[in-house]
């Protein structure tokens, strides 16, 4: 949902990763997302539809309009929704900063993993509020890569994560945005702001989280920027490989991994 | 519960802090602690009784034996329990490593903020298992100072926390123990291990957490090692003061603070 390329993007491998991520995190992040019956909800950006399917299935009486800036993603999202047999989603190609809707079109707006990529999240929040009716609800979900810690601890593993943070920063994004959702929404003029951390904790007693989150989501995401990080001279390739190996040990028989997402709910003032 | 002095200890100010901490955290950490009716539970170490009162009140049919290595703390704990009108706690002066009880004395053992101070937590867990009956339940709660992050972020604020971690490490403790409770209990031979993170998240919409946790518990704890850290040359006094000021900003109108405790439940094999 930005004109700049994402740090983590749209390659086939990325699509698989985003699919894995959405499935594993669905229960944690979206299971309690319920919109008022009959309401009109904007989802932005829907990406390849991984979360669209969950939202639409759990809210069958809600009319969703799901937008994204990537036509390819929209095509995949359309397919995913169709395959799930859902009929309550309309897709539109749109830029988050210039939404093709009149003011106060929606009862609620849902934004997940979008603001982290934007150099001006406040401008995005202003546009989202424009299309939200007075008193309407905004849900924002973002991660925070600075919340990641693990055992066994490793300086090189931490450095690989820092590369991801720095690359996203260089692209104008902020992968530490989760922790500042409250001040951000407050500055944007929203009211009744409630932020709650959603922790993903994986140890050997939770193999589905170790595999679904630690390995297939987080480590895969870090690995995805390896070439770029080494090419940019952020780490040499030997250190990088060791860092990734150390990260993998956190998914091993003595490892643990902890990461926190932040889910914010707020209202547009009436 | 160790023969070495604690990094954070027993001064009057510390007692106030520990009282504040226990009250604020009580809801989060102990509200769901329920032992089987009529069971015999060992609490070690009880310190000044802040959590003893909560446990004993919520489990009126349980017989608690609460031990600590400090007579002063035990006296305060006795008073606290008496003032709360509770009669189901017996206090004993004891060393965690040489408990004055025969094998299999207790149905459950409760340990909170103790293992972090020990240079050999596995030896402590062996002694706790000795006094636990086969199939008995062990609850362990520990923090993890490496889980602390905040907004606005600040390198100096992070350094003040690192001083606390390093000082505790120099004393043989591990203030990052929370994340490794699972592997620790596993190595100790316990079974049915379940570890759950308990997050304290404080932003301006939660003034009681900002005051009770961020200010009165966490920042007060870090401030408590200021002299020692500066004297040891870990930070110069100007940087220290700035670091503390930066930490205080996380309790300000645009600040957030996040910290994770880990609560583990496990069983002694039958």
């Amino acid at each position: 949902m930005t004109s700049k390329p994402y740090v983590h993007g749209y390659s086939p491998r990325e699509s698989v990763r985003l699919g894995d991520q959405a499935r594993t995190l669905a229960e944690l992040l979206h299971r309690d997302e319920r919109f008022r019956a009959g309401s009109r909800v904007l989802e932005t950006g829907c990406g390849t539809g991984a979360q669209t399917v969950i939202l639409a299935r759990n809210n069958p009486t809600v009319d969703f309009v799901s937008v994204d800036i990537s036509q390819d993603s929209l095509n995949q999202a359309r397919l995913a929704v169709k395959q799930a047999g859902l009929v309550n989603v309309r897709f539109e190609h749109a830029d988050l900063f210039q939404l093709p809707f009149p003011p106060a079109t929606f009862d609620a707006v849902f934004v997940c993993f979008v603001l982290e990529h934007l150099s001006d999240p406040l401008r995005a929040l202003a546009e989202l509020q424009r299309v939200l009716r007075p008193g309407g609800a905004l849900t924002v979900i973002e991660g925070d890569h600075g919340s990641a810690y693990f055992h066994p601890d490793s300086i090189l593993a931490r450095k690989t994560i820092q590369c991801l943070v720095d690359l996203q920063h260089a692209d104008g994004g902020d992968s530490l945005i989760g922790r500042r959702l409250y001040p951000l929404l407050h500055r944007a003029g929203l009211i009744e702001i409630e932020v709650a951390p959603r922790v993903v904790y994986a140890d050997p007693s939770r193999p589905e989280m170790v595999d679904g989150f630690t390995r297939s989501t987080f480590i895969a995401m870090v690995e995805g920027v390896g070439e770029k990080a080494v090419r940019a001279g952020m780490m040499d390739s030997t250190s990088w490989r060791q860092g990734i190996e150390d990260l993998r040990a956190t998914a091993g028989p003595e490892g643990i991994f902890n990461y926190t997402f932040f889910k914010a709910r707020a209202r547009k003032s009436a």
Side-chain angles (χ1 to χ4, degrees), chain A residues 24 61 91 145 160 215:
Chain A
T24 303
T61 70
F91 290 96
H145 293 352
T160 62
R215 274 199 204 96

Side-chain angles (χ1 to χ4, degrees), chain A residues 22 71 111 114 148 156 171 215 245:
Chain A
Q71 283 284 14
V111 195
V114 169
L156 288 179
D171 276 344
R215 274 199 204 96
E245 201 169 302

Side-chain angles (χ1 to χ4, degrees), chain A residues 162-199:
Chain A
Q162 190 59 42
C163 287
L164 188 62
V165 173
D166 293 343
L167 284 167
Q168 193 152 339
H169 184 74
D171 276 344
D174 178 7
S175 58
L176 310 180
I177 198 169
R179 73 186 71 179
R180 63 187 186 91
L181 282 186
Y182 182 92
L184 199 58
L185 296 179
H186 185 70
R187 280 197 188 183
L190 287 144
I191 59 167
E192 296 175 30
I193 306 162
E194 283 181 21
V195 179
R198 296 281 175 109
V199 179

Side-chain angles (χ1 to χ4, degrees), chain A residues 3 7 48 98 109 113 129 139 152 155 169 174 181 189 203:
Chain A
S3 46
V7 170
T48 57
Q98 288 179 299
V109 171
F113 305 152
Q129 285 190 87
T139 301
I155 288 172
H169 184 74
D174 178 7
L181 282 186
D203 70 26

Side-chain angles (χ1 to χ4, degrees), chain A residues 110-257:
Chain A
F110 181 90
V111 195
C112 180
F113 305 152
V114 169
L115 299 186
E116 60 170 323
H117 299 293
L118 310 178
S119 55
D120 194 351
L122 279 174
R123 191 157 69 86
L125 288 169
E127 176 66 353
L128 293 177
Q129 285 190 87
R130 184 185 67 77
V131 300
L132 193 57
R133 69 163 168 79
L138 174 68
T139 301
V140 183
I141 300 173
E142 295 289 347
D144 188 313
H145 293 352
S147 76
Y149 56 98
F150 37 80
H151 175 79
D153 202 357
S154 148
I155 288 172
L156 288 179
R158 289 199 217 175
K159 277 192 179 164
T160 62
I161 298 172
Q162 190 59 42
C163 287
L164 188 62
V165 173
D166 293 343
L167 284 167
Q168 193 152 339
H169 184 74
D171 276 344
D174 178 7
S175 58
L176 310 180
I177 198 169
R179 73 186 71 179
R180 63 187 186 91
L181 282 186
Y182 182 92
L184 199 58
L185 296 179
H186 185 70
R187 280 197 188 183
L190 287 144
I191 59 167
E192 296 175 30
I193 306 162
E194 283 181 21
V195 179
R198 296 281 175 109
V199 179
V200 179
Y201 166 77
D203 70 26
S205 72
R206 307 178 182 206
E208 75 295 349
M209 291 309 294
V210 172
D211 196 56
F213 186 77
T214 311
R215 274 199 204 96
S216 307
T217 301
F218 194 85
I219 298 176
M221 177 173 65
V222 176
E223 282 189 281
V225 301
E227 263 185 52
K228 205 178 279 189
V230 170
R231 209 166 48 229
M234 301 167 107
M235 284 179 81
D236 65 71
S237 60
T238 309
S239 303
W240 177 269
R241 274 195 303 270
Q242 185 60 52
I244 294 295
E245 201 169 302
D246 291 354
L247 267 187
R248 286 193 185 126
T250 72
E254 290 253 300
I256 78 97
F257 194 90

Side-chain angles (χ1 to χ4, degrees), chain A residues 62-111:
Chain A
V62 167
D63 285 322
F64 288 93
V65 177
S66 295
V67 306
D68 205 283
I69 198 158
S70 157
Q71 283 284 14
D72 279 354
S73 294
L74 281 169
N75 289 340
Q76 289 183 60
R78 265 194 201 95
L79 188 64
V81 161
K82 195 179 167 191
Q83 284 176 340
L86 299 163
V87 295
N88 55 334
V89 186
R90 183 164 61 84
F91 290 96
E92 285 210 29
H93 183 226
D95 182 340
L96 172 59
F97 292 109
Q98 288 179 299
L99 292 166
F101 309 110
T105 300
F106 298 99
D107 301 298
V109 171
F110 181 90
V111 195

